[in-house]
Amino acid sequence: AIDPQFDENREKEGTHKGHDVWGPVEEPEQLGIHGTHVAVDFDVCLADGACLEDCPVDVFEWVDTPDHPESEIKADPVNEAQCIDCMLCVDVCPVDAIDVDAS
Ligand code: SF4
Ligand code: F3S
Ligand code: ZN
């Protein structure tokens, strides 16, 4: 599962499509956490897809992650600024890869 304290326990390593990436990143095996308000641990995501299907405001898009051990696509929170904090994605992800900071 994603560490909900990732913003204290990890360092920002860069940005991707307008959101932060929290390391460590060692491609292609280790990809870190993408996003801050809507954060997806790419090393936990196994491309279930429920978050993409259920998000009412289409926060997520698939991104290719070839040669990652869990899955070769990931749910990327490209529209995290549009999140309405409904928490559906957090509830449906089977591996708890997503943290939404609704506070
Ligand atoms: Fe989408 Fe709701 Fe998840 Fe925000 S909390 S990313 S609106 S499903
Ligand atoms: Fe990945 Fe969970 Fe979405 S496994 S694709 S973050 S439902
Ligand atoms: Zn990203």
Side-chain angles (χ1 to χ4, degrees):
I2 189 170
D3 172 9
Q5 255 77 58
F6 69 88
D7 52 337
E8 291 163 22
N9 296 335
R10 292 177 178 233
E11 306 281 334
K12 280 185 198 173
E13 284 216 2
T15 60
H16 176 243
K17 297 192 176 183
H19 51 261
D20 296 320
V21 177
W22 302 81
V25 174
E26 197 73 52
E27 292 179 357
E29 294 89 3
Q30 200 173 17
L31 299 174
I33 291 175
H34 282 230
T36 299
H37 181 75
V38 180
V40 180
D41 192 327
F42 274 23
D43 296 308
V44 175
C45 173
L46 39 64
D48 176 84
C51 58
L52 272 93
E53 284 173 29
D54 289 0
C55 178
V57 292
D58 294 332
V59 162
F60 306 98
E61 280 178 9
W62 290 123
V63 64
D64 290 328
T65 57
D67 298 323
H68 187 269
E70 290 296 338
S71 60
E72 300 211 325
I73 53 173
K74 305 291 178 185
D76 201 21
V78 292
N79 298 316
E80 68 172 351
Q82 293 172 29
C83 174
I84 57 171
D85 299 343
C86 72
M87 304 310 256
L88 262 178
C89 59
V90 173
D91 292 341
V92 295
C93 178
V95 288
D96 290 332
I98 308 174
D99 181 69
V100 174
D101 181 13
S103 58

